[in-house]
Amino acid sequence: MRRAATIVSFVALVTAGCGFMPRIATPSPEPSPTATPAPSATPAPASPSEEPSEDPEPPDADAIPRFAIGSVVVTNAPGLRVRSRPGTEQRVVTTLGLGAELLVGMGPIVVDDLGWYMVRDADDADPAFEEGWVAAGFEPDPFLVSDDTAPRDSPFVGGFADTVSGEFGPTDLAGGRVTLRWIATTGVTDICNFALDLSTESGDPVRAVRTPVGSFPASGELPYGYFRTNGLNGERVFLHVQSNCSWAVSFVREEPAPSPS
């Protein structure tokens, strides 16, 4: 009996010991590393020289409307500015409404990619002005349009404008004292030269103008005394131009001085 009890006690101790055996922790699998996507490169903003231009290319000079010197034109756009000289940076003399009548005195010459005419007020515009320069715009929607009239009392006898050399004329200077006005601009070049001679139909050319032209338009006038001295007054006169400028010439009849009364 004692031996059996001893065996039972031993079995009990073994069983009890089994209940206190330490647990071996099962290692949990480590998470596999997830690749973090590299940030996408943000494109650098384009430099100003790479950005597309917002301003369209100006039309070709052939699209500038052509008007006869001494003819009447009408404004085809409201708010057209009259300036003291040709160019968008020149002083504004006045602003015209739609349908204002203007007398063409000289042009066109090219400044700031626009064709400019020297004009006079032909219908006492409000506010009135004596003389100035306006941009003509481009066909088929110009700022100025012709009204197909030429007043008989116009002081402008005739004129020419171009961007090339050549012989132009004749212009009949009969009937009064006449002066010549000229202007030249660089157009699309940095510097240009303007040379002008005049001649009758049978005479040799007479020297008139020689000038270089820089960033600012050059202009001048040949008085009546020049024509009288060189035997050109009252004659049919030709222009002989040597130039790479944009230029214009106009013959202007001197208006009689007002009487003392």
Side-chain angles (χ1 to χ4, degrees), residues 17-29:
C18 290
F20 290 94
M21 290 181 66
R23 296 182 61 186
I24 299 176
T26 303
S28 54

Side-chain angles (χ1 to χ4, degrees), residues 39-235:
S40 59
T42 302
S47 64
S49 61
E50 296 169 337
E51 294 177 353
S53 174
E54 295 181 358
D55 297 327
E57 288 293 325
D60 189 85
D62 292 340
I64 297 172
R66 296 278 174 165
F67 306 114
I69 302 304
S71 65
V72 175
V73 295
V74 179
T75 56
N76 193 40
L80 188 61
R81 295 180 179 91
V82 181
R83 298 184 181 270
S84 59
R85 302 275 291 183
T88 56
E89 301 300 321
Q90 301 302 316
R91 178 177 60 87
V92 175
V93 175
T94 189
T95 302
L96 303 173
L98 185 65
E101 294 183 359
L102 306 170
L103 182 64
V104 177
M106 184 187 297
I109 61 169
V110 179
V111 181
D112 297 333
D113 295 322
L114 292 168
W116 298 80
Y117 282 93
M118 188 272 286
V119 297
R120 290 186 181 179
D121 182 7
D123 64 351
D124 297 325
D126 186 17
F129 71 99
E130 182 177 353
E131 187 174 285
W133 291 83
V134 296
F138 299 95
E139 299 288 0
D141 209 11
F143 302 152
L144 300 174
V145 293
S146 175
D147 76 345
D148 299 321
T149 62
R152 292 184 178 181
D153 58 350
S154 170
F156 301 108
V157 178
F160 305 92
D162 218 313
T163 57
V164 297
S165 303
E167 182 179 291
F168 302 84
T171 300
D172 192 347
L173 303 187
R177 298 161 59 98
V178 175
T179 62
L180 180 145
R181 296 176 65 177
W182 62 268
I183 187 168
T185 72
T186 56
V188 296
T189 60
D190 293 331
I191 191 170
C192 64
N193 293 280
F194 178 67
L196 170 66
D197 295 336
L198 302 177
S199 73
T200 62
E201 292 180 295
S202 58
D204 295 329
V206 179
R207 180 169 173 152
V209 180
R210 297 287 189 279
T211 185
V213 182
S215 58
F216 197 76
S219 61
E221 180 175 303
L222 296 177
Y224 168 69
Y226 167 86
F227 292 89
R228 181 183 57 193
T229 300
N230 291 284
L232 300 172
N233 58 308
E235 299 288 338

